[in-house]
Amino acid sequence: MTTQMRTSGIDVVGEMPWGTHVCLFYETKADLLATLVSYCKAGLESQEFCLWVVAEPVTVLEATHALQHVIPDLDGYLAERSIEIISAADWYLQGGAFHLQRVINGWNERLALALAKGYLGVRVTGDTAWLDKKDWKDFCEYEDTVNAAVVDQQLLVLCTYPLADCGAAEILDVARTHQFVIAKRQESWEIIETPGLKQAKAEMARLNEELERRVVERTGQLTVVNEELRKEILERKRAEDALHQTREELAHATRVTTLGELAASIAHEINQPLAAIIANADACLHWLKSDLAHMDSVRDALAAMAKDGDRAAEVVTRIRALLSRSSVPREPCDMAQLIREVHPLVGPELRRHGITLDASVTGDLPEVMGDRIQLQQVLLNLLMNAAEAVSKVSPERRRVRVRSSVEARDDGPWVVVAVEDAGVGFAKEAAARLFEAFYTTKPGGLGMGLSISRSIMDGHRGHLWATANADHGSTFHLALPAITRGPR
Amino acid sequence: MAEQRTPVVCVVDDDESLRRSVRNLLSSVGFRVETFASAEEFLESPQRAHAGCLVLDLRMAGMNGLDLLRHLAATGSRIPAIILTAHGDEEARRQSLEAGAVAFLVKPFRSNALVDAVRMALGS
């Protein structure tokens, strides 16, 4: 607050901070009036309380008239007591003599009152033409006290001295007891700074430099901290990516392991009867080559072969049943709802690759009969495939669309869901093999997803097929008979 | 009398269908064959004394094929063994050959391969 700059109203001074104590040496009454009128006007216009203590040769009336000349609404200011114009005799010499403490108290009371009334501060000017040589010493002490007291206060003090009445000794005393001196001599202004002010200014400059140095130093430190933070964020991102990759590898390994175990188990179950069939067949051939004595053995072996054939066929049937889970009870399913439920599962993966999912799913689709988990598995598989296909193309093509529709077919309405991507697509020659087990175009892919998905759709008496898009990518369609006409 | 001296091919497999088909195959080319449903059954059988070679399944309930091979080696029995398995991984092959097997065949095997392996085993 105290460092806030105020408009002095005196051209040569310009702005000055609160707490300024300055003295003015004047030669003529006209100079004095012109300067103080301007000084007070600036104060009134800046929401300051002004106190003008006048002395010979200026009277209260003259000062008032001079102010009225430049401030048309002076009467208003006077009425609300924003400005007081008071004679030096009434201010400094109350009771006939100068009393240092009384005068100081007077300033302080005015300041407290002004602040309480909402003024920003107090602007004072006092003339010293009344000063007798006998009071000089006391007055110097007073100025000294004022000089020390104004610091850190919302107070501006301009003391005016008639140059003609001051000898060299007085001028020196005055200069010493003020922060700076202004003088108007032969129409031109002079400004003389005291060593104290110079020192203060130098100190301020030094403090500013120090502040700037600290700002630079602190900025440097912040830059280092920022850089460290950036590195840390980068490091964390790397760690997260690594974790994600590890998770994916783990998931992949788990799938491979599970399928590997499944494949080993299937292989054993099928190879066992297959080995028996081959051995029996060759035994029969040997027997038939030699003579007819072994016809009974041949008959038995052939019966065993048929039995082993059935055994192998049963294994295949069991695997089919496992994949289509035909024994799972079906329930009416809302495909729109299933699509919405799959969103959160694929969301993180899509976001990670910056892929937009546009699901234009009709809310009033007829229900289909199915195993909701299996149908979601198919949707999930199609969405993940689409995401993988677009993750390799330019960002503007990273878009996956899910559309739903109802198709009227010969045997009634069907619900059709299409998963469309603008990704890498598939070659014409690959189209026929897309749904084959172990057929894959993806590095590290197992080629099981679409094969299992089609098994599931077959198990639901539905269809799953793929079409190549005209421009980019492919669309996978799944169709299921709507429930309205009952399951076929 | 000649039949008595003919060495017996002992087939040890817990899968009946395979046991019977291997017996059919080997007997159709003239070998004498005895079948056993487990390693324990073979060890307890008096036929063991006439065993010219073993056709042995690797994975069986109870004592498995490898255990039987190791047991025979430990008790000083030198019956050449042919391993038949549906789990044809490298580790199983290595372990079998280390335990003294003369051949390692993966199901489904070619009939000729088994017949040749048996001939070789009996010849040795």
Side-chain angles (χ1 to χ4, degrees), chain A residues 34-231:
Chain A
T35 307
L36 295 185
V37 161
S38 179
Y39 173 74
C40 289
K41 180 174 184 272
L44 288 173
E45 287 170 352
S46 308
Q47 278 183 278
E48 295 168 16
F49 170 76
C50 298
L51 181 60
W52 184 352
V53 182
V54 296
E56 287 292 339
V58 179
T59 65
V60 170
L61 203 61
E62 280 173 326
T64 309
H65 284 160
L67 276 171
Q68 259 163 348
H69 210 66
V70 293
I71 307 169
D73 191 30
L74 182 71
D75 289 343
Y77 284 119
L78 285 168
E80 64 187 26
R81 295 184 70 84
S82 292
I83 182 163
E84 280 184 59
I85 305 164
I86 191 166
S87 75
D90 289 343
W91 183 258
Y92 293 111
L93 301 171
Q94 224 174 40
F98 177 75
H99 216 280
L100 186 148
Q101 199 52 50
R102 183 177 46 77
V103 176
I104 296 280
N105 289 346
W107 296 132
N108 287 336
E109 280 164 23
R110 285 292 193 289
L111 177 61
L113 196 67
L115 292 179
K117 283 167 87 175
Y119 292 99
L120 296 178
V122 172
R123 179 176 295 230
V124 174
T125 178
D127 195 75
T128 55
W130 54 271
L131 206 53
D132 271 341
K133 292 283 181 197
K134 67 175 173 56
D135 291 326
W136 185 257
K137 196 164 166 274
D138 278 353
F139 198 78
C140 281
E141 192 184 339
Y142 157 79
E143 289 280 35
D144 236 356
T145 311
V146 170
N147 210 25
V150 295
V151 180
D152 292 335
Q153 300 264 41
Q154 282 120 284
L155 201 58
L156 298 175
V157 182
L158 172 63
C159 304
T160 56
Y161 289 82
L163 196 56
D165 293 354
C166 293
E170 284 82 16
I171 289 173
L172 286 175
D173 279 340
V174 171
R176 183 180 51 77
T177 53
H178 291 77
Q179 292 168 5
F180 62 97
V181 174
I182 51 174
K184 192 160 190 189
R185 295 173 66 205
Q186 292 155 1
E187 295 301 308
S188 71
W189 284 101
E190 283 179 34
I191 186 158
I192 304 141
E193 287 180 351
T194 60
L197 184 65
K198 274 185 184 163
Q199 198 179 345
K201 279 189 174 172
E203 178 66 6
M204 195 172 281
R206 194 190 62 76
L207 286 173
N208 270 337
E209 265 177 31
E210 172 70 12
L211 191 66
E212 268 177 33
R213 192 187 59 74
R214 281 194 195 167
V215 167
V216 168
E217 192 181 290
R218 196 79 190 106
T219 308
Q221 285 170 356
L222 278 175
T223 309
V224 171
V225 170
N226 268 345
E227 180 59 22
E228 277 168 9
L229 205 63
R230 201 183 62 78
K231 275 186 194 157

Side-chain angles (χ1 to χ4, degrees), chain A residues 339-361:
Chain A
I339 292 167
R340 278 193 290 274
E341 284 173 3
V342 166
H343 274 197
L345 302 175
V346 291
E349 184 66 16
L350 296 180
R351 277 195 295 279
R352 206 173 71 79
H353 292 293
I355 300 166
T356 317
L357 179 64
D358 171 15
S360 323
V361 182

Side-chain angles (χ1 to χ4, degrees), chain A residues 350-357 387 389-400 422-423 472:
Chain A
L350 296 180
R351 277 195 295 279
R352 206 173 71 79
H353 292 293
I355 300 166
T356 317
L357 179 64
V390 294
S391 68
K392 294 163 193 148
V393 299
S394 53
E396 66 273 15
R397 274 170 54 192
R398 291 191 194 161
R399 180 179 290 276
V400 175
H472 298 294

